[in-house]
Amino acid sequence: MTRSRMFSALILCAGFAASGTAFAKTCDVEIESNDAMQFNKQNIAIAADCTEVAVTLKHVGKLPVAAMGHNWVLTETAAFMPVATAGASAGLAADYLPKGDARVIAHTKTIGGGETTSIKFPTSKLKKGGDYTFFCSFPGHWGIMKGKLTFS
Ligand code: CO
């Protein structure tokens, strides 16, 4: 074995050790929101080999959270409207979501212009081929601020 091949083998071992298991894979999703009540994506595809999803939500606008707050909420599509409707009266401190609602698979906090927030969730919470909707639960936003998430 040459010196350079030995070095490559060492790097490979170090990579597996750092990730915990050989099969862990965090997949990054970045999504922007703005003062025009829009997300910059309508579709998010999570590859089947992702074990964890890291979502970063940016608010590229200038309006404060009380006027144009945005969050990123994930539910099964069948639960999206009931959760959004129930969340409208929950208030900003609760991120406009029903407290402890098991239908919420993942959600970020609610942010205003210029802010960024991140969350991670395991894909063990998703079914392959399931029908998922992401949306902003700020009152009145979910009609426009929504999209589909796929895991396959
Ligand atoms: Co919003």
Side-chain angles (χ1 to χ4, degrees):
M1 192 184 257
T2 66
R3 181 181 285 259
S4 70
R5 283 190 62 172
M6 235 160 85
F7 192 53
S8 303
L10 281 173
I11 290 174
L12 201 60
C13 287
F16 283 141
S19 64
T21 79
F23 304 104
K25 183 179 174 188
T26 299
C27 297
D28 295 319
V29 172
E30 281 198 17
I31 185 161
E32 287 182 8
S33 55
N34 63 24
D35 282 344
M37 207 194 295
Q38 294 163 325
F39 284 132
N40 69 341
K41 287 180 179 164
Q42 279 73 51
N43 290 284
I44 295 172
I46 307 298
D49 64 341
C50 302
T51 56
E52 184 180 55
V53 181
V55 179
T56 298
L57 172 68
K58 290 184 185 175
H59 191 321
V60 299
K62 292 193 168 77
L63 292 171
V65 66
M68 186 56 70
H70 301 311
N71 61 7
W72 186 93
V73 182
L74 183 66
T75 65
E76 287 189 1
T77 293
F80 143 58
M81 280 197 277
V83 169
T85 305
S89 58
L92 176 60
D95 288 310
Y96 301 103
L97 289 170
K99 195 177 179 184
D101 195 312
R103 294 173 296 181
V104 176
I105 297 166
H107 75 93
T108 69
K109 67 174 187 169
T110 309
I111 58 173
E115 295 183 304
T116 298
T117 187
S118 298
I119 52 153
K120 287 181 180 176
F121 66 94
T123 55
S124 58
K125 290 186 162 189
L126 305 174
K127 290 185 219 106
K128 294 224 167 89
D131 186 3
Y132 300 99
T133 291
F134 67 85
F135 62 99
C136 171
S137 67
F138 191 97
H141 288 198
W142 55 268
I144 297 167
M145 296 188 76
K146 64 182 175 183
K148 289 282 186 139
L149 181 141
T150 57
F151 178 50
S152 56

